[in-house]
């Protein structure tokens, strides 16, 4: 499974030091006290300046795939290029070690074959609703109808699942490179797991930015999946009747079977996996999900109003993502 990494590196400066570099570049004002320098964007690095009265910050948004120009997770090559470009941009005044790792976004593009399939998966996944440890979230850059977004209550992790083509169309200007990207994004369901500093420190026992990049890049797939499995249950998606039939056929333990059937019925009623689990007052909710996974059925069912009767598990696509 190929996971791209997008790093946000931040450096806080005092007013004098900030002003010395702030005046050196042709910056585009984006919003109030925020400015952007896209001069290195084609090399995978976008520089952001925050000229706030209270805190002066310079941030680098680093897209690993664009820095390396290849889908090959060579983290040592990534760090070498990053150090070189930071040194050149700041004329040797600042280096990678002057920055802290503020955010890490892990990105997986799931090719489900068509735009219709992308839309269908999102509508089904939205039926998950609330998840333990997360709350539904809305973001300016994402259309609620074509995305499913959650924000961790206290773990410093955000989760995004969205229609890449739709997001690209909404956020890109016209032009041939953009049109090519729109073509490439057709049939792609993009999933992102974003870690802020709290989650970064939970996964890494160092404050050294180079070691953090080395360690977290090497664990990208593991970290991504740790969050994905908390949110999306294993198993193929069926209409409720079909899911019920499979549970009856494959689960011989009668008390367990009844609980599984009840969970299937409660999720659309409560509009949430978490609220359905709470309504059951069952002490071992994970046991139910494990049993669903064992028989290859998701407790999240396809709405009666949808024409589709069956969808393969998203995990079948993730296994083939490269």
């Amino acid at each position: 499974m190929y996971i791209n990494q997008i790093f946000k590196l931040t450096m806080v400066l005092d007013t004098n030091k900030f002003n010395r570099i702030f005046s050196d570049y042709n910056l585009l004002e984006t919003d109030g006290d925020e400015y952007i320098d896209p001069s290195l964007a084609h090399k995978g690095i976008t520089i952001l300046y925050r000229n706030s009265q209270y805190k002066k910050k310079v941030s680098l948004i680093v897209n690993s795939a664009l820095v390396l120009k290849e889908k090959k997770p060579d983290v040592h090559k990534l760090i070498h290029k990053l150090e070189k470009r930071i040194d050149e941009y700041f004329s040797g005044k600042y280096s990678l070690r002057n920055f802290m790792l503020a955010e890490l976004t892990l990105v997986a593009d799931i090719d489900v074959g068509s735009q219709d399939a992308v839309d269908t998966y999102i509508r089904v996944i939205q039926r998950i609703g609330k998840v333990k440890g997360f709350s539904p979230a809305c973001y300016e850059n994402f259309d609620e109808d074509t995305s499913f977004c959650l924000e961790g209550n206290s773990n410093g992790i955000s989760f995004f699942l969205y229609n890449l083509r739709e997001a690209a169309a909404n956020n890109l200007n016209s032009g041939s490179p953009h049109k090519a990207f729109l073509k490439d994004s057709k049939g792609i369901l993009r999933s992102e797991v974003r870690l802020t500093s709290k989650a970064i420190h939970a996964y890494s026992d160092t404050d050294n930015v180079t070691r953090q990049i080395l360690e977290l890049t090497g664990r990208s797939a593991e970290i991504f999946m740790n969050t994905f499995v908390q949110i999306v249950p294993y198993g193929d998606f069926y209409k409720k009747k079909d899911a019920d039939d499979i549970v009856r056929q494959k689960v011989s333990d009668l008390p367990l079977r009844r609980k599984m059937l009840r969970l299937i019925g409660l999720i659309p009623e409560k509009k949430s996996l978490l609220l359905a689990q709470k309504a059951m007052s069952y002490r071992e909710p994970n046991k139910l999900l494990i049993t669903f996974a064992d028989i290859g059925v998701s407790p999240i069912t396809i709405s009666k109003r949808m024409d589709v009767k069956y969808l393969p598990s998203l995990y079948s696509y993730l296994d083939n993502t490269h």
Side-chain angles (χ1 to χ4, degrees), residues 93-157:
K93 296 174 185 175
Y94 299 101
S95 64
L96 177 59
R97 66 176 178 270
N98 295 115
F99 289 81
M100 60 169 284
L101 181 56
E103 285 183 6
L104 168 61
T105 302
L106 304 173
V107 183
D109 284 345
I110 308 170
D111 187 350
V112 295
S114 69
Q115 283 304 109
D116 287 342
V118 170
D119 295 336
T120 303
Y121 271 108
I122 289 173
R123 290 169 64 191
V124 173
I125 295 298
Q126 286 173 337
R127 290 164 67 86
I128 293 172
K130 294 182 179 179
V131 176
K132 185 176 181 180
F134 293 84
S135 296
C138 298
Y139 297 93
E140 184 179 348
N141 294 334
F142 295 106
D143 185 329
E144 290 184 50
D145 293 331
T146 58
S147 65
F148 178 62
C149 304
L150 299 173
E151 188 163 340
N153 297 332
S154 60
N155 56 17
I157 299 175

Side-chain angles (χ1 to χ4, degrees), residues 33 39 48 50 103 134 140 147-148 186 190 210 227 316:
D33 55 14
S39 60
L48 306 177
R50 184 172 181 83
E103 285 183 6
F134 293 84
E140 184 179 348
S147 65
F148 178 62
K186 185 177 180 180
R190 173 166 285 186
T210 302
T227 297
S316 65

Side-chain angles (χ1 to χ4, degrees), residues 221-252:
E222 171 199 345
I223 296 170
F224 176 89
M225 291 304 296
N226 280 352
T227 297
F228 200 91
V229 299
Q230 290 182 59
I231 293 165
V232 181
Y234 282 94
D236 298 336
F237 302 98
Y238 296 88
K239 295 285 191 181
K240 181 181 181 300
K241 181 182 180 304
D242 295 332
D244 286 347
D245 289 344
I246 296 172
V247 170
R248 290 191 178 95
Q249 292 168 11
K250 294 189 175 183
V251 181
S252 57

Side-chain angles (χ1 to χ4, degrees), residues 210-228:
T210 302
R211 286 177 55 196
Q212 284 181 330
I213 293 173
L214 282 166
E215 183 176 346
L216 296 175
T217 299
R219 299 179 62 191
S220 288
E222 171 199 345
I223 296 170
F224 176 89
M225 291 304 296
N226 280 352
T227 297
F228 200 91

Side-chain angles (χ1 to χ4, degrees), residues 9-11 60 62 78-80 82-84 86-87 90 94-101 208-211 213:
L9 304 169
T10 299
M11 175 174 63
L60 310 179
V62 181
L78 170 67
I79 290 173
H80 174 73
L82 189 54
E83 288 177 332
K84 180 181 178 182
I86 290 174
D87 181 72
F90 292 106
Y94 299 101
S95 64
L96 177 59
R97 66 176 178 270
N98 295 115
F99 289 81
M100 60 169 284
L101 181 56
N208 181 288
V209 66
T210 302
R211 286 177 55 196
I213 293 173

